[in-house]
Amino acid sequence: MMETDETKEKVHGVHFWIAISVPVLQLSLVLIVMELIFPIRIVFLLCVGWASYLVRTFSRLTISPSLTLMFLSTLLVFTFGFHLYCRHIKDNVTAAHAEVTPWQKRWSLSLVTMFLLLAVSGICVISVTHQVFWMATTQDKIFEDIHMRDASQAARRATSKHNLKEIGLALHNYHDTYRQFPVGGTFGKAGQPQHSWVTQLLPYLDQNTLYEQIDFNQPWTAADNREPFETNFILLQSPGMTYDFTEEEGEAAGYKPAHYAANSRVLSANSGMNMRKIKDGSSNTILAGEVRSDIKAWGDPTNFRDPTEGINRNPRGFGSHFKGGAHVLMGDGAARFLSEDIDPEVLKALSTPQGGEPVGEF
């Protein structure tokens, strides 16, 4: 009779698991067919993702006999001292009760073991957190909040546009002082690069201290000028850009980038321009714009380019990491977003300060 009851319990258990497994498999198949596999991936990666993490970690792990011996010795000393401390505390508390059991060694061992388990548990929690972070942020991430992404993109675009407006305000303040815009870049008689338009704008960008550190009698790459030009200039960096300027090796290493460049048709080598020469109108002439390739350091005197090369069309032209186009700074201080599909003739008209071309809508 007992064997029959045990057999029935086993059969009942098998039926129970079959009843649970079939709906789960059916739901999984439905999700796969509908291409909604991210819930399955989440469960799978959370359950076994730690295994791949351990494999990657252990493959780089080297065991040092001396450090292992030191750890075990320290653990032994700690356990012995902890046991003496606990016994001393218990003896003082229970001194009036002779029949109370003294502190036992196994109690100390149990507590130390618990401490070690808590430490290991903390490492495991960190590993799980690492796995979840990887799932959420890598290029192969399995979930993404589109609304958050769009909001972040909009915030970055607004910040970049604000940066250009600040640059425009500095350019106009410079013009009010010197009756012309700064030259795109200063060069010596033999063509040696000296200083950029950005460097000349520093006092108008609330960077007087940085400006005073620069020796203008020496080129920007001189050893005495290296420290100022290695200063990170946040206003000249477009948020979200994941790379610096191209020249990262050799003597150029350490210099900080500018994600904005001047219009070479207005600010060029040893040549500045005043507002009277912008006959096409300040609101129809580009002064500067965003760049995403061939990025220069902010102290580089060659940090200007021709907008007629196109928007996101040519590494030597203007462009951005934002979808659809790039921001440019107009002569009147306004920042406009130009589509990468803008008519080349319109872009040329916006690039020339006195070309006389019709602009129209843009």
Side-chain angles (χ1 to χ4, degrees):
M1 180 65 67
M2 291 182 60
E3 292 181 359
T4 302
D5 292 339
E6 290 179 359
T7 303
K8 289 182 179 181
E9 289 181 0
K10 291 180 179 179
V11 172
H12 179 73
V14 171
H15 289 168
F16 172 77
W17 285 111
I18 292 177
I20 293 295
S21 303
V22 171
V24 171
L25 290 175
Q26 290 176 341
L27 178 60
S28 300
L29 289 174
V30 171
L31 291 175
I32 293 173
V33 171
M34 296 177 64
E35 298 185 355
L36 299 174
I37 62 173
F38 68 91
I40 300 175
R41 292 187 64 188
I42 291 176
V43 174
F44 176 79
L45 291 175
L46 286 176
C47 291
V48 302
W50 56 269
S52 60
Y53 176 78
L54 290 178
V55 170
R56 294 194 304 269
T57 303
F58 286 140
S59 63
R60 299 190 298 265
L61 186 64
T62 56
I63 298 177
S64 172
S66 58
L67 293 178
T68 303
L69 181 61
M70 182 182 298
F71 169 76
L72 293 176
S73 302
T74 303
L75 181 62
L76 181 61
V77 172
F78 172 78
T79 303
F80 180 72
F82 181 73
H83 173 70
L84 293 180
Y85 175 77
C86 292
R87 188 175 65 179
H88 174 72
I89 294 297
K90 191 173 189 303
D91 289 345
N92 289 339
V93 172
T94 61
H97 305 280
E99 297 181 357
V100 176
T101 304
W103 186 265
Q104 302 295 310
K105 293 181 180 179
R106 66 176 183 273
W107 296 348
S108 298
L109 291 175
S110 298
L111 288 175
V112 171
T113 302
M114 184 182 67
F115 293 154
L116 289 176
L117 289 176
L118 288 174
V120 173
S121 299
I123 296 174
C124 291
V125 170
I126 294 174
S127 301
V128 172
T129 304
H130 176 275
Q131 184 68 27
V132 173
F133 180 79
W134 172 83
M135 291 162 57
T137 59
T138 59
Q139 292 181 349
D140 192 33
K141 49 184 172 284
I142 60 177
F143 54 89
E144 180 177 27
D145 192 328
I146 297 177
H147 297 292
M148 289 294 292
R149 180 187 62 189
D150 292 343
S152 176
Q153 183 80 343
R156 290 173 178 173
R157 288 178 60 165
T159 301
S160 184
K161 185 176 181 179
H162 172 76
N163 291 347
L164 276 174
K165 287 183 176 181
E166 290 294 317
I167 294 171
L169 180 61
L171 284 169
H172 278 270
N173 288 336
Y174 183 98
H175 188 281
D176 291 341
T177 302
Y178 297 100
R179 301 304 177 188
Q180 71 169 41
F181 291 120
V183 299
T186 57
F187 294 82
K189 294 181 179 180
Q192 309 96 326
Q194 297 296 311
H195 294 282
S196 71
W197 61 275
V198 173
T199 305
Q200 300 169 65
L201 281 183
L202 288 176
Y204 304 93
L205 293 170
D206 296 328
Q207 296 293 331
N208 284 292
T209 303
L210 186 61
Y211 182 81
E212 292 171 356
Q213 295 176 13
I214 298 173
D215 184 357
F216 285 89
N217 294 318
Q218 300 187 64
W220 75 287
T221 52
D224 292 340
N225 281 331
R226 173 167 284 275
E227 184 176 351
F229 291 109
E230 288 182 341
T231 302
N232 201 26
F233 207 160
I234 300 299
L235 182 67
L236 298 173
Q237 296 179 16
S238 178
M241 292 279 277
T242 56
Y243 50 87
D244 286 353
F245 56 96
T246 305
E247 299 175 342
E248 296 178 350
E249 304 296 333
E251 296 182 356
Y255 292 125
K256 299 306 178 182
H259 297 155
Y260 308 97
N263 176 5
S264 61
R265 294 172 180 257
V266 179
L267 310 179
S268 57
N270 289 337
S271 175
M273 182 174 288
N274 58 43
M275 293 293 288
R276 293 192 304 271
K277 293 183 179 180
I278 304 180
K279 299 184 181 302
D280 290 347
S282 59
S283 61
N284 294 326
T285 303
I286 296 173
L287 290 184
E290 295 174 324
V291 294
R292 69 173 187 178
S293 55
D294 285 351
I295 296 172
K296 306 287 186 178
W298 63 263
D300 193 330
T302 64
N303 185 30
F304 48 78
R305 59 187 64 193
D306 190 350
T308 61
E309 296 288 348
I311 305 295
N312 292 335
R313 300 290 183 182
N314 191 307
R316 298 185 301 274
F318 287 142
S320 76
H321 59 293
F322 303 120
K323 184 178 180 180
H327 290 99
V328 296
L329 173 68
M330 308 305 294
D332 60 355
R336 300 285 298 272
F337 189 79
L338 296 186
S339 169
E340 59 191 26
D341 298 323
I342 187 173
D343 187 334
E345 293 300 322
V346 174
L347 183 60
K348 181 179 179 181
L350 295 173
S351 304
T352 55
Q354 47 189 0
E357 307 96 335
V359 176
E361 296 294 330
F362 63 94

